[in-house]
């Protein structure tokens, strides 16, 4: 287990390349994101909306946010391990067009990659699936990620990674798994 | 082997496009897409592979529907993955399809940007380019350095320059990135450095775009001077 300290503002710059939606000022809002609290907002109109509609400002902490943070944390980890993140492609936005795609492909065949894999005899790209959670790590998420990687891991040389980031009361914990055939 | 190199290059291009989108440099995106050295025959090959793999996926879906009925559960998806893999044939086809998908996205993106006017004026310097986003008294400077990512960023020079200008500075560096905050009696500055991107947020007691620009350039020059 390794503990990494990180600078929340840097996550915001990773956001630009590697997520579908940008989270602005992660640093300023980190406590709200972390504790899943809704900050008190004074500018919500005093009257209710019709039916089950809710003002966007009153929406609960969104799963989207934890997903974005997890994707950023994954890139942050790759970068810290020395993997060239210029060779990391984010495929998640294209899943609608090609459902067999994982969240990321890593096309860096450098030495740093062996720090995550158990072999140096692998074929590029390495496929990666990322899951974020506001609660503890659950098996269903892991299963979902495994099934997604099952589409693309076809031979002994194909490698996949699953990164799961979840919150505990104090900080974020990330677990990384290597997936082989 | 060819696919490996093309795969890296296409991903690098896509990431460059995203960085330039952040800056709003539409002109540069058009240029790098137009100058991307990929033979049309190769590009067609990857896009054909994408169509083939999509076709295989569709057939696998139909076959699964026929065998197991309509379902969206995890077990069904696992069976679908097996069916898909069995039909895909050559494993390299998948790599080619992924490259084809990225190329298709780049093509669509550059088509969407054809009629887009640059949102901000991009100021180009030898070692970097930047834009200023104004929201007085706050200003944001987004800069892209021309240096590669691996460039070692030394914030000591920047700290010294800011202190000379009367700022109290604190700085954290972790691997390839750094975060610097500085405040004086009149201004507050935050600098996030993640090469090739640098984001500078300035809060000025006396709002002035020129002052923000001057401070921003001083920060960028101190970071990049060798």
């Amino acid at each position: 287990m390794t503990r990494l300290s990180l600078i929340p503002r840097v996550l915001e710059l990773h956001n630009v390349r590697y997520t579908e939606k940008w989270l602005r000022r992660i640093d300023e809002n980190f406590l709200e994101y972390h504790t899943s609290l809704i900050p008190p907002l004074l500018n919500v109109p005093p009257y209710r909306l019709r039916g089950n509609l809710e003002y966007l400002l009153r929406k609960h902490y969104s799963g989207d946010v934890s997903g974005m943070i997890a994707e950023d944390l994954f890139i942050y980890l790759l970068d810290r391990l020395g993997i060239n993140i210029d060779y990391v492609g984010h495929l998640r936005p294209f899943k609608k067009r090609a459902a067999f795609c994982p969240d990321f492909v890593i096309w860096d065949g450098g030495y740093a990659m062996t720090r995550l894999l158990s072999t140096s005899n692998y074929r590029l790209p390495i496929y990666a699936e990322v899951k974020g959670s506001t609660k503890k790590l659950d098996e269903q998420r892991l299963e979902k990620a495994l099934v997604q990687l099952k589409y693309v891991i076809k031979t002994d040389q194909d490698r996949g990674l699953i990164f799961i980031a979840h919150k505990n009361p104090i900080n974020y914990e990330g677990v990384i798994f290597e997936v082989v055939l | 082997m060819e696919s490996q190199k093309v795969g890296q290059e296409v991903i690098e291009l896509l990431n460059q496009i995203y960085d330039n989108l952040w800056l709003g440099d539409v002109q540069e995106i058009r240029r790098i897409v137009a100058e991307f050295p990929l033979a049309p025959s190769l590009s067609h090959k990857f896009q054909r592979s994408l169509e083939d793999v999509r076709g295989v996926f569709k057939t696998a879906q139909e076959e699964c529907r026929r065998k197991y009925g309509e379902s969206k559960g995890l077990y069904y998806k696992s069976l679908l993955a097996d069916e898909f893999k069995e039909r895909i044939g050559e494993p390299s086809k998948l790599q080619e399809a992924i490259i084809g998908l990225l190329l298709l996205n780049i093509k669509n993106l550059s088509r969407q940007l054809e009629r887009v006017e640059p949102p901000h004026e991009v100021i180009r310097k030898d070692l970097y380019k930047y834009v200023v986003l104004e929201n007085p008294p706050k200003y944001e400077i987004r800069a892209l350095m021309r240096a590669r990512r691996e460039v070692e960023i030394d914030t000591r020079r920047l700290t010294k320059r800011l202190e000379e200008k009367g700022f109290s500075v604190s700085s954290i560096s972790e691997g390839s990135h750094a975060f610097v905050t500085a405040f004086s009696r009149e201004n507050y500055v935050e600098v996030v450095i993640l090469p090739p991107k640098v984001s500078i947020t300035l809060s000025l007691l006396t709002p002035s775009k020129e002052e923000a620009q001057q401070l921003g350039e001083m920060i960028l020059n101190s970071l990049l001077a060798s």
Side-chain angles (χ1 to χ4, degrees):
Chain A
M1 194 170 117
T2 313
R3 196 174 284 270
L4 282 178
S5 59
L6 61 85
I7 306 164
R9 279 299 304 273
V10 174
L11 289 187
E12 197 177 306
L13 287 191
H14 281 315
N15 247 216
V16 174
R17 272 189 185 180
Y18 301 104
T19 65
E20 286 159 276
K21 296 162 198 162
W22 292 2
L23 292 178
R24 297 297 310 264
R25 299 304 312 211
I26 295 178
D27 55 338
E28 277 180 3
N29 303 310
F30 197 76
L31 275 179
E32 281 83 10
Y33 289 151
H34 189 68
T35 52
S36 314
L37 286 176
I38 314 166
L41 294 162
L42 302 174
N43 52 351
V44 179
Y47 45 86
R48 283 183 59 84
L49 286 170
R50 275 184 299 165
N52 291 327
L53 296 174
E54 273 281 17
Y55 289 107
L56 195 57
L57 294 173
R58 284 210 186 281
K59 283 255 182 186
H60 285 268
Y61 174 88
S62 152
D64 275 357
V65 176
S66 63
M68 302 296 124
I69 290 178
E71 288 183 331
D72 290 340
L73 288 173
F74 177 60
I75 296 294
Y76 194 91
L77 176 70
L78 295 182
D79 196 22
R80 287 292 295 269
L81 289 174
I83 291 157
N84 186 348
I85 56 170
D86 283 344
Y87 294 147
V88 179
H90 186 223
L91 300 185
R92 198 178 177 171
F94 318 135
K95 270 188 177 173
K96 270 190 186 159
R97 208 169 258 173
F100 52 88
C101 281
D103 289 338
F104 290 95
V105 277
I106 305 165
W107 233 293
D108 182 12
Y111 173 74
M113 210 57 232
T114 54
R115 298 170 82 173
L116 282 176
L117 303 175
S118 57
T119 175
S120 53
N121 181 28
Y122 59 86
R123 189 221 313 251
L124 291 176
I126 289 148
Y127 305 100
E129 193 65 20
V130 174
K131 297 279 175 209
S133 167
T134 53
K135 296 178 200 132
K136 60 179 186 177
L137 183 108
D138 63 77
E139 280 173 22
Q140 215 194 351
R141 263 169 226 274
L142 192 56
E143 263 181 281
K144 267 189 177 175
L146 272 172
V147 168
Q148 188 64 46
L149 289 178
K150 211 175 164 191
Y151 287 112
V152 284
I153 294 183
K154 193 172 156 59
T155 69
D156 291 341
Q157 282 185 304
D158 292 326
R159 287 288 182 276
L161 295 172
I162 295 177
F163 178 75
I164 299 188
H166 65 101
K167 287 193 317 159
N168 64 28
I170 308 163
N171 49 28
Y172 259 91
E173 265 177 34
V175 188
I176 195 153
F177 300 91
E178 179 185 359
V179 182
V180 295
L181 190 67
Chain B
M1 203 56 205
E2 197 175 41
S3 304
Q4 298 297 358
K5 197 168 170 289
V6 177
Q8 280 190 343
E9 285 171 357
V10 171
I11 285 181
E12 212 177 4
L13 172 71
L14 189 69
N15 287 333
Q16 274 178 13
I17 291 175
Y18 288 146
D19 288 348
N20 279 290
L21 268 181
W22 174 70
L23 204 73
D25 194 353
V26 184
Q27 205 184 332
E28 176 71 1
I29 296 173
R30 286 188 199 124
R31 189 191 66 77
I32 55 176
V33 172
E35 289 176 8
F36 185 62
L38 184 66
S41 59
L42 212 51
S43 172
H44 288 148
K45 180 184 147 194
F46 293 127
Q47 291 190 26
R48 228 178 11 249
S49 294
L50 173 64
E51 287 317 310
D52 292 348
V53 172
R54 268 181 181 164
V56 169
F57 189 77
K58 217 172 162 189
T59 319
Q61 266 180 323
E62 281 161 10
E63 188 60 22
C64 274
R65 219 169 280 145
R66 195 183 60 76
K67 280 188 193 165
Y68 316 109
E70 285 288 344
S71 175
K72 281 184 177 165
L74 216 52
Y75 181 60
Y76 171 80
K77 280 189 179 164
S78 175
L79 293 170
L80 175 62
D82 288 334
E83 197 75 42
F84 171 69
K85 264 197 307 192
E86 209 171 278
R87 289 159 186 269
I88 202 80
E90 265 298 296
S92 59
K93 204 74 174 165
L94 260 173
Q95 289 176 5
E96 289 176 11
I98 288 172
I99 298 172
L101 185 68
L102 295 171
L103 285 171
L104 184 71
N105 182 62
I106 290 170
K107 210 163 116 183
N108 289 343
L109 200 63
S110 58
R111 198 176 302 140
Q112 279 173 5
L113 289 174
E114 259 167 26
R115 286 184 201 152
V116 172
E117 287 296 317
H120 321 283
E121 184 202 358
V122 181
I123 298 154
R124 292 168 207 277
K125 299 280 173 182
D126 285 346
L127 297 172
Y128 56 85
K129 55 183 178 177
Y130 69 94
V131 293
V132 185
L133 311 181
E134 292 177 74
N135 191 11
K138 271 194 162 189
Y139 296 85
E140 186 188 348
I141 292 180
R142 295 180 178 184
L144 271 185
M145 302 193 286
R146 294 197 197 278
R148 290 188 65 79
R149 279 198 75 255
E150 303 88 58
V151 134
E152 190 72 29
I153 291 295
D154 187 356
T155 53
R156 277 175 298 186
R157 202 181 303 107
L158 171 63
T159 306
K160 203 175 151 209
R161 290 285 287 126
L162 284 167
E163 281 171 349
E164 280 167 9
K165 284 204 165 267
F167 282 92
S168 289
V169 187
S170 74
S171 134
I172 319 166
S173 292
E174 295 269 359
S176 64
H177 51 262
F179 180 55
V180 178
T181 55
F183 64 88
S184 67
R185 293 168 71 105
E186 291 168 343
N187 305 322
Y188 174 71
V189 180
E190 275 183 10
V191 188
V192 193
I193 306 144
L194 179 70
K197 292 191 278 280
V198 179
S199 165
I200 305 169
T201 315
L202 307 126
S203 300
L204 309 181
L205 189 62
T206 319
S208 150
K209 187 184 174 187
E210 288 70 35
E211 168 78 6
Q213 224 169 312
Q214 228 173 30
L215 259 171
E217 284 193 19
M218 185 275 281
I219 290 167
L220 290 161
N221 287 332
S222 322
L223 281 174
L224 287 164
S226 51

